[in-house]
Each structure stands twice: as structure tokens, then as C-alpha cells.
Amino acid sequence: ALAVGLKYRFGYDDSLDVFGVHLVAGLVGTLLIGLLATDGGLLYGGNVNLLVVQALIALVAVALSGAVTLVIALALKATMGWRISEDAEVGGIDLAVHREGAYE
């Protein structure tokens, strides 16, 4: 819940809370495996190796998904753009893009 609130603090556009729910929770869960695992974790297993492996896995996953997302985003920007006009946004995207109203 704290991570979801970061979008208001830093002012980035995340209407589906993807950053707070998926990225932060995924990283925390991945790192906690290396910290709390009873077989090889840092706290209960007394070994830092699993934590290091989990951190490397997290970094590779973030880098790979970031690269793929960048390619998709640039393709979308080149073909249809990232945003609609301000008039269409204020008037309602349902009418501007879909030509029907979602709410009466």
C-alpha cells in the first residue's frame, strides 16, 4: 500500500498501480526468499548466497522487462502516440476514441 502511494508523491502516471503492486511487491518477495528461506537463506540458513542469487535474478528481470517495455513503448509512440489530445482527455476518451459514452 505504501508503494502504491508513491505515484502521488513523485507525480508519475500509473492509473493501474503497476509500479506499486507488481514491481515493488515482486522485488520485495524475491529478496525476502533469499533472506527468510530455511534452506540457504540469510537469517535462518546462515548463508548469503541465496540472497545474492535472488538479487541478481531480480536485476536481470527488471532489466529484461524494461528493455522489452521500451521497445514496445517506442513502437507505440511511432505509430499512434502515447497520449490523446488534451481536449479529448477533458471531454472524455470514450467519446473521442470509441465514439460512445460510458456514462450518462
Side-chain angles (χ1 to χ4, degrees), residues 4 46 58 73 91-92:
V4 170

Short mmCIF file of all heavy atoms in Angstrom, two decimals, residues 4 46 58 73 91-92:
data_model
loop_
_atom_site.label_atom_id
_atom_site.label_comp_id
_atom_site.label_asym_id
_atom_site.label_seq_id
_atom_site.Cartn_x
_atom_site.Cartn_y
_atom_site.Cartn_z
N VAL A 4 2.10 1.91 -3.57
CA VAL A 4 1.07 2.43 -4.47
C VAL A 4 0.96 3.94 -4.30
O VAL A 4 0.74 4.67 -5.26
CB VAL A 4 -0.28 1.74 -4.21
CG1 VAL A 4 -1.41 2.42 -4.95
CG2 VAL A 4 -0.20 0.27 -4.62
N GLY A 46 21.71 -19.05 7.42
CA GLY A 46 23.03 -18.55 7.72
C GLY A 46 23.93 -18.41 6.50
O GLY A 46 25.16 -18.43 6.63
N ALA A 58 16.49 -10.68 -9.68
CA ALA A 58 15.62 -9.50 -9.71
C ALA A 58 16.17 -8.44 -10.66
O ALA A 58 15.41 -7.85 -11.45
CB ALA A 58 15.46 -8.93 -8.30
N ALA A 73 7.01 0.44 -26.15
CA ALA A 73 6.59 1.84 -25.99
C ALA A 73 7.04 2.70 -27.16
O ALA A 73 6.28 3.54 -27.65
CB ALA A 73 7.15 2.40 -24.68
N GLY A 91 -12.74 16.12 -22.53
CA GLY A 91 -14.09 15.78 -22.99
C GLY A 91 -14.48 14.33 -22.75
O GLY A 91 -15.66 14.00 -22.71
N GLY A 92 -13.52 13.49 -22.58
CA GLY A 92 -13.78 12.07 -22.33
C GLY A 92 -13.25 11.21 -23.46
O GLY A 92 -13.61 11.40 -24.61
#
